[in-house]
Amino acid sequence: MTSQWQQPNDRELIHTRILRAPRERVFAVWTDPAHLAEWWGPRGFRTTTHAMELRAGGTWRFTMHGPDGRDYENRIEYLEVRQPELLVYRHTGDEEVEPVRFQVVVSFSSLGEKTLLTMRMTFESPTDLAHVEDNYGASEGALETLARLTERLAQMSDDAGPSTKWHYGDAAVAPWEPGPEGQKIKRLASASGVHWILSEVVPGFEGPVHVHPGIEGLYVLSGSVINEGRRLGTGEACLAEGGTKHSEFRSEEGATFLVVFQETP
């Protein structure tokens, strides 16, 4: 981890940090309430999310529980959400929440298996910035918060075990990606050229003709699929040798399934 802290003027704070995790995972951990509860806030704080709508115009209502027993009510309004590269939001300072007003731009730049995180906090006036520094220790608090994020990401990597290289964390936080029409996928993990892909398809889905050079296994978690004329229901699986041509793969009722395939024979 490499970090840098700047105050370019009397209204802004900028923090940059290189994180040892791909940006899809970092973005997910930044926007999933279950993960936020583990790292959001300076050391000693806990966070309870009451509601979150992750979209432009949506809000995040949460309480930060301080180590001294004090609760800090917060409300964030999302101005722009571009998964997994950008978040723009503002602390509103409305009634019944902490009286702080500032805008935050968080960018997640991909560096392969690492992420360059840039967090820019812009206040309405120098007085507002001085207020959060004097009353909340904004600079030090941000450093501690991002240090806890770093620790959370490291914990996720450790939990994966030494033999597996996790690209996007676990299935709960991995982002869905579009596949062929009627299909979406989650890339779960890879190790030694073997990949685990979670997939959902809609009723009536017909997959494209394709060939995997290595062995491919398929396990149906729910629904059913028809693979080369054979119907596979929930809990059933099949295995194809490397070089097998898949000319028929479809689902009449829709399905969720796990695919494990090898890049090379």
Side-chain angles (χ1 to χ4, degrees):
M1 177 275 296
T2 303
S3 62
Q4 186 175 358
W5 184 249
Q6 301 172 348
Q7 185 173 346
N9 53 61
D10 57 7
R11 294 178 54 241
E12 288 188 315
L13 296 172
I14 301 175
H15 186 76
T16 59
R17 178 172 291 232
I18 295 177
L19 301 164
R20 294 192 180 101
R23 69 174 179 174
E24 289 83 0
R25 188 191 306 168
V26 178
F27 187 94
V29 171
W30 195 289
T31 55
D32 185 323
H35 284 286
L36 288 164
E38 300 294 329
W39 68 270
W40 187 269
R43 297 196 184 280
F45 278 75
R46 296 180 299 107
T47 297
T48 300
T49 293
H50 306 296
M52 176 185 280
E53 297 175 274
L54 188 63
R55 58 175 179 80
T59 58
W60 177 27
R61 292 294 302 261
F62 60 98
T63 303
M64 297 177 66
H65 310 283
D68 59 355
R70 178 182 170 184
D71 287 341
Y72 300 80
E73 302 298 333
N74 287 267
R75 180 181 185 273
I76 279 176
E77 178 183 351
Y78 293 106
L79 305 178
E80 186 174 357
V81 177
R82 295 208 310 264
Q83 181 178 340
E85 60 188 82
L86 183 71
L87 288 173
V88 182
Y89 55 85
R90 65 185 180 95
H91 285 260
T92 62
D94 295 341
E95 293 183 5
E96 301 182 358
V97 301
E98 293 300 309
V100 293
R101 295 178 176 83
F102 59 94
Q103 181 170 303
V104 181
V105 178
V106 187
S107 64
F108 307 80
S109 301
S110 178
L111 300 176
E113 291 299 305
K114 298 180 181 179
T115 300
L116 171 61
L117 176 78
T118 302
M119 182 179 183
R120 179 187 294 268
M121 305 164 65
T122 304
F123 296 82
E124 295 181 359
S125 70
T127 301
D128 288 338
L129 173 52
H131 172 76
V132 298
E133 284 284 38
D134 294 342
N135 292 275
Y136 301 98
S139 299
E140 186 63 29
L143 287 174
E144 290 189 7
T145 297
L146 293 177
R148 293 181 69 194
L149 168 63
T150 302
E151 293 163 6
R152 177 61 177 166
L153 292 166
Q155 179 186 25
M156 292 173 65
S157 297
D158 291 342
D159 289 345
S163 63
T164 300
K165 182 180 182 183
W166 290 97
H167 285 298
Y168 302 108
D170 56 30
V173 301
W176 284 109
E177 303 176 28
E181 184 176 356
Q183 181 182 28
K184 59 182 182 179
I185 64 174
K186 286 188 178 188
R187 303 178 188 272
L188 301 183
S190 68
S192 303
V194 180
H195 303 273
W196 287 260
I197 306 292
L198 182 67
S199 180
E200 285 188 7
V201 297
V202 300
F205 172 78
E206 294 188 7
V209 176
H210 66 283
V211 176
H212 281 298
I215 296 173
E216 179 187 38
L218 181 146
Y219 181 81
V220 180
L221 301 172
S222 65
S224 65
V225 300
I226 297 174
N227 185 35
E228 302 300 325
R230 177 187 173 190
R231 183 183 183 280
L232 299 171
T234 300
E236 295 185 301
C238 67
L239 184 68
E241 296 296 327
T244 301
K245 181 178 181 180
H246 298 270
S247 57
E248 181 192 28
F249 184 81
R250 56 191 174 89
S251 178
E252 297 175 350
E253 61 176 309
T256 300
F257 51 89
L258 179 67
V259 176
V260 181
F261 68 92
Q262 190 175 28
E263 287 182 351
T264 57

